[in-house]
Amino acid sequence: MAPKDAPKDAIVIAIDAMGGDHGPAVTVCGAALLLDERPDVFFQLHGDEARINAELARLPKLKARSIVIHTDQCVAMDEKPAQAIRRRNTSLSNAIHAVKSGEARAIISAGNTGALMALSKMILKMRTDDLERPAIGCSWPNKKGFGTVLDVGANVTSDARQLIEFALMGTAFHRAVHGVEKPSIGLLNVGSEDAKGHEEVREAHKLLRENTLGLNYHGFVEGTDLCAGTVDVTVTDGFTGNVALKTAEGTARFIRDLLKEAFRSGPLAMLGALLASSALKAMSRRIDPGAANGGPLLGLKGIVIKSHGGADARAFSNAIGVGLSLAASDYERDIIESLAQFSQSIAAADAAAGMASNTHIKESSAEEILATADDKVN
């Protein structure tokens, strides 16, 4: 159901207004920027009423399209997930409950990642019993536009089955947000040869290559393929994905700082910067981490979007946009159907393996009986 203050035709989005490094100064302003593009949205702003209203006083359009749901508690950026779970009445937990109850279509938070994941799993539950934890996906800028990479931090290690689940969920996400009907999929590895990589990634590669799930599987990809756009969806474990993501973000900032330093090095350099300003701004937008801000927690019974903690208002509005794209798509049904098909495929494979094992046992038993009979005759 929609909150009483929301128009019947509005898409309701719950915002953890206190989350992130800057709180309402960014989250509320980010909602206002999004509203300029999507006037059909209505916001639930969860958090400290006084601080939120101080921002809303400057944003009359947003004030008319939002409701403030007060709580004087919030989850700190360095708070342990176990502590966050025990404190139920926080801006973060209340925003997630809004999705659980059906009041909101999605929740957006720039807050504590561990707490967001733990509370989302506890309140919303996983999409199926087989899924253990959500996977965090992200849009990754490349030569062709944007790719999708997952997992980028939810699961330190992942077995072959989890990697395939990531492929299914990443495909649904990429289709919903980037509009590619049948995204190509690659497994991130240290080389493209079949023998490269650890056992789990090789096993996932074998299963995906032989898959009957209708996936557009490309094969192994390497780190250089992420920015080349070799595939649409790149699958890896959360440890590797998070290291790759942070490295890419750090490299983008490093390049940007080097360019600023170079163009300020003298009069001619400054003149060159002025002449190339439009091209430089376009490049800066392409490599800006904020342009791809908004990582979904995939596999949950509800739409949960994680924004960078240090995001500015424009980047936070981009994260809200990701939530809206998922809410307007068949993403959730796509995930349910794909995971169900995968579970059936696994069950059929296990049954076939069991039959083969039983046949082997029966054959062995027959051989033992014959051997015993021969011993008695002798």
Side-chain angles (χ1 to χ4, degrees):
M1 63 178 184
K4 60 183 180 180
D5 295 78
K8 291 183 179 179
D9 59 346
I11 301 172
V12 181
I13 301 294
I15 303 291
D16 169 25
M18 311 309 292
D21 297 340
H22 310 291
V26 160
T27 56
V28 176
C29 292
L33 289 174
L34 191 283
L35 191 61
D36 288 339
E37 302 169 8
R38 292 290 302 269
D40 58 329
V41 178
F42 186 91
F43 291 101
Q44 284 188 1
L45 303 173
H46 294 261
D48 187 317
E49 188 173 22
R51 292 182 61 188
I52 295 172
N53 282 335
E55 298 297 332
L56 288 176
R58 301 181 294 103
L59 303 164
K61 187 187 296 185
L62 176 62
K63 188 173 183 178
R65 296 286 296 184
S66 63
I67 180 175
V68 179
I69 301 177
H70 175 72
T71 176
D72 56 3
Q73 297 186 61
C74 63
V75 177
M77 293 298 283
D78 59 351
E79 190 168 329
K80 293 182 179 179
Q83 292 176 302
I85 288 174
R86 285 194 291 269
R87 296 193 304 113
R88 301 296 176 88
N89 188 32
T90 63
S91 60
L92 178 56
S93 63
N94 289 352
I96 297 170
H97 273 293
V99 174
K100 172 72 173 179
S101 68
E103 291 183 6
R105 286 290 287 121
I107 177 261
I108 320 295
S109 176
N112 183 315
T113 303
L116 176 64
M117 185 160 52
L119 282 165
S120 297
K121 182 181 177 183
M122 184 186 74
I123 296 169
L124 298 175
K125 311 300 182 186
M126 299 304 297
R127 180 60 65 184
T128 71
D129 293 336
D130 294 329
L131 291 172
E132 294 181 7
R133 298 179 68 183
I136 301 177
C138 77
S139 294
W140 193 290
N142 59 42
K143 288 182 178 180
K144 300 178 181 178
F146 285 97
T148 294
V149 179
L150 75 165
D151 179 24
V152 291
N155 307 272
V156 175
T157 60
S158 301
D159 59 24
R161 175 171 179 150
Q162 287 174 315
L163 291 173
I164 296 172
E165 289 170 346
F166 295 169
L168 293 169
M169 295 190 292
T171 295
F173 169 74
H174 194 86
R175 183 181 296 118
V177 174
H178 299 295
V180 179
E181 182 57 32
K182 197 165 184 178
S184 56
I185 302 164
L187 273 176
L188 190 61
N189 200 2
V190 294
S192 59
E193 299 85 356
D194 288 353
K196 290 289 183 70
H198 54 70
E199 182 180 349
E200 297 296 349
V201 79
R202 293 200 309 272
E203 177 64 16
H205 171 64
K206 178 177 180 293
L207 293 172
L208 283 169
R209 192 174 50 190
E210 301 169 355
N211 84 86
T212 57
L213 301 171
L215 297 174
N216 181 15
Y217 182 58
H218 170 85
F220 285 140
V221 294
E222 301 180 62
T224 54
D225 292 304
L226 291 174
C227 291
T230 304
V231 294
D232 297 310
V233 178
T234 302
V235 176
T236 186
D237 60 81
F239 180 89
T240 306
N242 191 264
V243 170
L245 177 64
K246 297 295 174 59
T247 301
E249 290 176 347
T251 301
R253 293 188 180 97
F254 176 62
I255 292 171
R256 185 181 60 194
D257 291 343
L258 282 180
L259 285 172
K260 286 181 179 179
E261 183 180 334
F263 284 121
R264 290 171 180 169
S265 61
L268 289 178
M270 294 175 70
L271 177 60
L274 180 63
L275 294 173
S277 60
S278 60
L280 290 171
K281 287 178 181 178
M283 188 194 77
S284 181
R285 286 193 295 269
R286 284 292 305 277
I287 66 173
D288 179 13
N293 187 38
L297 271 62
L298 301 170
L300 293 164
K301 293 179 180 178
I303 299 172
V304 179
I305 307 296
K306 174 67 176 75
S307 165
H308 288 300
D312 60 16
R314 174 55 66 186
F316 191 79
S317 74
N318 291 338
I320 301 173
V322 172
L324 284 171
S325 294
L326 293 182
S329 72
D330 292 327
Y331 153 79
E332 291 174 290
R333 186 178 66 184
D334 199 349
I335 287 281
I336 294 169
E337 293 176 354
S338 296
L339 291 175
Q341 185 181 355
F342 179 50
S343 294
Q344 291 170 4
S345 175
I346 289 293
D350 289 344
M355 290 177 62
S357 177
N358 289 336
T359 301
H360 175 71
I361 291 171
K362 290 176 181 178
E363 290 175 350
S364 297
S365 298
E367 290 173 359
E368 290 172 2
I369 292 171
L370 290 172
T372 302
D374 288 341
D375 289 340
K376 288 181 178 179
V377 171
N378 293 333

